[in-house]
Amino acid sequence: MVRARAGGACPVAAFQKLISGKYKLRIVWDLKDGPRRYGEIRTGLLRGLDGGGEIAPRVLSRELKALTECGLIDRKDYGVVPPKVEYRLTRKGKSFVPVIAAIRDWGHRHLVADAETMIAAE
């Protein structure tokens, strides 16, 4: 039986909306090691893509803006020429890192193990 929650919001649906997007989880994960500039974030994301993948600047900018608006990351503009902007995790973003680590661990146990089993069976 499903009960209605106070306020009517489902935390799972809210969480899903928060992380929906192609690169959000990866961006937060990469920022766990400290502040990064736009180009560093883009390079980190490209490293994880198969083949010669490309990341549209508009898509990455949209993901960064959404993460800033939801309070997971902070954007610091130094106001210099040439422009210098850094992104870093907020306290809320840092509290999200263990969740991503759990997802990574689950994927390693189940997805990587399943792929290795399929390769061994061939």
Side-chain angles (χ1 to χ4, degrees), residues 3 6 8 14 17 27 37 43 46 58 61 74 79 82-83 86 90 93 96 101 113 116 119:
R3 288 196 221 180
K17 184 176 181 182
I27 291 168
R37 295 179 69 178
T43 301
L46 285 171
R58 182 175 176 215
S61 294
D74 183 45
E86 283 184 343
T90 61
F96 189 49
E116 290 172 353
I119 291 170

Side-chain angles (χ1 to χ4, degrees), residues 28-87:
V28 172
W29 183 253
D30 286 350
L31 289 175
K32 78 183 182 328
D33 298 324
R36 300 269 192 271
R37 295 179 69 178
Y38 179 93
E40 294 170 320
I41 294 169
R42 184 174 181 278
T43 301
L45 293 172
L46 285 171
R47 254 194 322 269
L49 292 179
D50 294 331
E54 270 300 312
I55 299 171
R58 182 175 176 215
V59 173
L60 181 53
S61 294
R62 185 175 57 225
E63 298 281 79
L64 290 167
K65 184 176 180 181
L67 287 167
T68 302
E69 288 174 354
C70 73
L72 289 177
I73 67 172
D74 183 45
R75 179 183 190 273
K76 183 175 182 182
D77 187 342
Y78 287 87
V80 295
V81 177
K84 180 180 179 185
V85 176
E86 283 184 343
Y87 296 91

Side-chain angles (χ1 to χ4, degrees), residues 72-112:
L72 289 177
I73 67 172
D74 183 45
R75 179 183 190 273
K76 183 175 182 182
D77 187 342
Y78 287 87
V80 295
V81 177
K84 180 180 179 185
V85 176
E86 283 184 343
Y87 296 91
R88 65 189 51 168
L89 292 177
T90 61
R91 181 176 293 180
K92 182 179 176 181
K94 288 176 184 174
S95 73
F96 189 49
V97 170
V99 175
I100 301 171
I103 292 168
R104 182 203 59 200
D105 293 344
W106 184 92
H108 185 71
R109 279 192 313 273
H110 298 284
L111 302 176
V112 173

Side-chain angles (χ1 to χ4, degrees), residues 10-20 25 96 99-100 103:
C10 171
V12 174
F15 177 79
Q16 182 179 14
K17 184 176 181 182
L18 177 76
I19 64 164
S20 67
L25 288 176
F96 189 49
V99 175
I100 301 171
I103 292 168

